[in-house]
Amino acid sequence: MKVLILAGGSGTRLWPLSRQNYPKQFIKINGESLLLKTYKRFLNICDKKDIYIVTNEKYKFYVINDLIDINTSIEDNIILEPVGRNTSGAILLGIKFITNRSKSFMMESLFVSPSDHIITNTKEFIKCIKEADKASKKGSIVTFGIKPDTPHTGYGYIKTGKKLFNNLCKVEEFTEKPDIKRAREYLSSEKYLWNSGMFLFKMDIMIKEFKKYKPEMIKFFNLSYDELIKRFGEIENISIDYSIMEKTDKAAVVKSDIGWSDIGNWESFGEIMEKDESSNVKLGNVFNINSSNSIVYSNSKKVVSIVDVKDLIIVNTDDALLVAKKGSGEKVKNIVELLKNQKCNEALEHTTVFRPWGSYTVLEEGPRYKIKRIFVKPNHKLSEQMHYHRSEHWIVIKGTAEVDIGGESHIVHENESIYVAKSMRHRLSNPGKVDLELIEVQNGEYVGEDDIVRFDDVYGRK
């Protein structure tokens, strides 16, 4: 069995914790990202060489940083989408990549999973996978349906049909996200399951169904891998539910009671977290007097105090604060759209931004200046670059920096500094064995991140 983890999404419903350039799958819960938790879960059923990740260039190094400690060869199994083409495109690209390694893999089963879900009952999950695999070997395309415990309006539903064996049934119907009245009817009927977005099928069967129902998409699949990448943007942008699952007569569903959550909003985040005696979720430097049934999350240094409040969502980060009424979590995405329309960077980035070489944190910014704290990992280097509109002054706080300016190399130690003038080609490296930490002071008429000309980059960035 092979596993394909979909990690290219840019969900915004957990804003301000998730951002467009730092989406939900990379958020750490109890010290591990959701992507890492997902990856480790599948190590129970297959070898790490058989687990593949579909993502995009923007998230590639987030994936590597999350998984490199558990699989030093992870980069070999990362599949990069040139553009997002929903789950249909991601699955076709994944099958092409995998079967390019060996044509015999086409006869194997492929498990497709989102990267940002929580599953608390791993033992039951493995049992469901084994049941589903039996059905997939007989030609079924199996989806995993979650037994609903509330009339949820944020999920699609699957209506179960004829029983096949054990917890497996034929799929009678896929339905859209219902209104609350219909969701209550689904819950009481006991014939409906939540659509988890996980699938298990033999790769040759899925390709046959694409040939039958989406022949225009299979034309791209029949190209060479390199040609498919070049023309990937021409593929129809459509989910696997719409392209195949709602049409095929091979759809089956395994009823899964696995402690599942897609953490699709702050309310569902609260459901999986530990609560105090007043049903509050408190994470960070939070103090409470007589408040109940609230979610309070703070990852900044600020003290957050709540007094006599009820049913609130409060999320505090270094640069943004969300206050919402519980039950309105689905509207957070509307706030993000509003911020994007106003061109607010808070919709896109955190104050701390991760790069393949390390990270930087914006400490302060104003007209004509920006101050950053920069971390560079041992034996890593930034691109050789220049800036037309700003100069940079670097003060080393920890470690040793090697700085190349205009072809001249300089070693800068702790408590020493160096100046880079406008339009000078330069490169910062960490030749040491400990993290390099420095303060950067930018000055100029424009200090935006897009004022950069790269001449050379060891990570292949342009």
Side-chain angles (χ1 to χ4, degrees):
M1 182 187 295
K2 311 297 184 192
V3 172
L4 186 68
I5 299 174
L6 309 179
S10 57
T12 54
R13 288 179 292 178
L14 288 187
W15 185 89
L17 197 55
S18 64
R19 309 284 173 102
Q20 180 173 309
N21 293 338
Y22 192 75
K24 185 176 62 169
Q25 57 264 34
F26 304 115
I27 291 174
K28 288 180 171 55
I29 295 180
N30 298 325
E32 291 184 338
S33 73
L34 294 173
L35 171 62
L36 178 56
K37 290 177 187 293
T38 300
Y39 190 91
K40 290 171 76 171
R41 195 179 302 133
F42 286 112
L43 289 176
N44 291 290
I45 62 168
C46 64
D47 189 87
K48 58 189 176 184
K49 67 179 174 57
D50 294 320
I51 304 176
Y52 299 81
I53 317 288
V54 176
T55 188
N56 58 57
E57 187 68 44
K58 185 165 55 176
Y59 303 148
K60 174 184 176 182
F61 292 102
Y62 288 141
V63 173
I64 292 173
N65 286 338
D66 269 0
L67 303 180
I68 192 70
D69 288 341
I70 200 169
N71 182 0
T72 55
S73 301
I74 187 61
E75 192 167 357
D76 294 339
N77 279 20
I78 294 176
I79 305 165
L80 295 179
E81 294 178 296
V83 293
R85 278 298 173 264
N86 217 306
T87 48
S88 292
I91 289 170
L92 282 176
L93 184 63
I95 295 175
K96 187 70 176 182
F97 184 94
I98 293 167
T99 55
N100 254 19
R101 298 238 170 128
S102 173
K103 297 299 181 186
S104 66
F105 290 165
M106 185 65 82
M107 304 307 294
E108 291 193 30
S109 298
L110 179 67
F111 192 107
V112 177
S113 171
S115 58
D116 55 1
H117 293 183
I118 286 287
I119 292 173
T120 58
N121 192 339
T122 302
K123 184 177 180 180
E124 185 63 26
F125 181 51
I126 294 169
K127 180 181 175 183
C128 289
I129 291 173
K130 289 178 178 178
E131 280 194 23
D133 198 32
K134 290 178 185 176
S136 74
K137 285 179 167 58
K138 295 178 181 179
S140 292
I141 300 175
V142 185
T143 185
F144 288 65
I146 309 300
K147 184 178 179 180
D149 53 13
T150 59
H152 208 295
T153 59
Y155 302 141
Y157 283 71
I158 301 167
K159 186 177 182 181
T160 57
K162 179 183 176 183
K163 184 173 180 177
L164 297 175
F165 58 88
N166 296 337
N167 289 315
L168 267 145
C169 300
K170 292 290 289 183
V171 170
E172 183 171 319
E173 181 185 16
F174 287 88
T175 69
E176 297 290 338
K177 296 175 183 178
D179 58 26
I180 187 63
K181 179 182 177 183
R182 183 153 294 182
R184 288 186 179 122
E185 292 173 359
Y186 289 168
L187 180 64
S188 62
S189 78
E190 298 186 352
K191 291 184 178 180
Y192 289 84
L193 304 169
W194 289 335
N195 187 349
S196 70
M198 296 185 288
F199 305 93
L200 181 59
F201 48 82
K202 284 185 66 190
M203 286 182 262
D204 65 317
I205 295 295
M206 180 58 78
I207 293 303
K208 287 177 182 176
E209 295 304 279
F210 267 103
K211 287 178 180 177
K212 184 175 180 180
Y213 297 109
K214 282 291 178 182
E216 68 279 10
M217 296 185 77
I218 215 68
K219 291 177 183 177
F220 293 96
F221 179 83
N222 290 334
L223 298 171
S224 69
Y225 184 79
D226 289 342
E227 191 64 25
L228 172 59
I229 289 293
K230 287 179 184 177
R231 298 184 60 184
F232 195 70
E234 301 174 38
I235 292 178
E236 184 180 358
N237 189 355
I238 187 172
S239 74
I240 195 71
D241 290 324
Y242 289 144
S243 65
I244 302 299
M245 297 306 294
E246 291 186 357
K247 299 172 182 177
T248 182
D249 60 1
K250 300 181 184 300
V253 59
V254 58
K255 298 178 182 178
S256 308
D257 187 7
I258 54 178
W260 173 89
S261 173
D262 74 338
I263 323 181
N265 54 37
W266 280 108
E267 287 88 350
S268 57
F269 176 88
E271 289 170 4
I272 67 168
M273 302 307 294
E274 186 177 344
K275 299 173 180 62
D276 67 12
E277 63 279 1
S278 299
S279 298
N280 297 301
V281 173
K282 298 184 297 182
L283 295 167
N285 206 5
V286 179
F287 294 85
N288 166 44
I289 296 177
N290 198 36
S291 299
S292 62
N293 200 36
S294 294
I295 300 168
V296 188
Y297 184 108
S298 178
N299 66 358
S300 78
K301 295 179 181 179
K302 294 177 185 175
V303 171
V304 178
S305 302
I306 53 174
V307 180
D308 290 339
V309 302
K310 184 179 181 181
D311 298 328
L312 286 185
I313 300 168
I314 302 170
V315 186
N316 179 56
T317 67
D318 288 336
D319 61 341
L321 172 66
L322 170 71
V323 180
K325 185 178 179 181
K326 252 187 156 183
S328 300
E330 290 289 332
K331 297 180 182 178
V332 170
K333 61 185 177 184
N334 300 335
I335 284 288
V336 176
E337 284 304 310
L338 180 63
L339 292 172
K340 287 181 180 178
N341 291 338
Q342 297 294 321
K343 300 191 183 307
C344 295
N345 194 55
E346 290 81 358
L348 307 177
E349 300 272 16
H350 280 284
T351 53
T352 295
V353 177
F354 294 92
R355 293 287 187 254
W357 44 261
S359 67
Y360 69 80
T361 300
V362 177
L363 302 177
E364 190 173 340
E365 184 175 2
R368 297 186 61 86
Y369 78 93
K370 184 186 288 185
I371 303 172
K372 292 180 177 179
R373 182 172 61 242
I374 296 176
F375 289 90
V376 184
K377 295 182 285 189
N379 298 312
H380 281 67
K381 61 179 69 176
L382 282 67
S383 58
E384 183 184 5
Q385 57 188 253
M386 64 165 259
H387 315 289
Y388 285 114
H389 301 290
R390 70 174 187 256
S391 62
E392 295 174 336
H393 187 190
W394 293 332
I395 306 101
V396 176
I397 305 301
K398 176 186 174 184
T400 300
E402 182 178 350
V403 183
D404 186 283
I405 302 176
E408 289 189 19
S409 183
H410 308 263
I411 297 296
V412 188
H413 298 287
E414 293 179 3
N415 298 321
E416 297 177 350
S417 64
I418 194 165
Y419 175 76
V420 182
K422 287 182 187 178
S423 301
M424 287 294 293
R425 288 173 69 148
H426 60 280
R427 174 173 246 159
L428 173 65
S429 306
N430 179 1
K433 298 184 182 301
V434 299
D435 286 344
L436 168 63
E437 179 180 353
L438 54 86
I439 299 297
E440 176 182 271
V441 180
Q442 301 177 4
N443 183 263
E445 61 270 19
Y446 180 73
V447 292
E449 294 301 323
D450 55 347
D451 176 25
I452 182 171
V453 179
R454 286 193 176 100
F455 300 100
D456 178 65
D457 185 75
V458 297
Y459 312 105
R461 297 172 298 167
K462 297 178 181 179

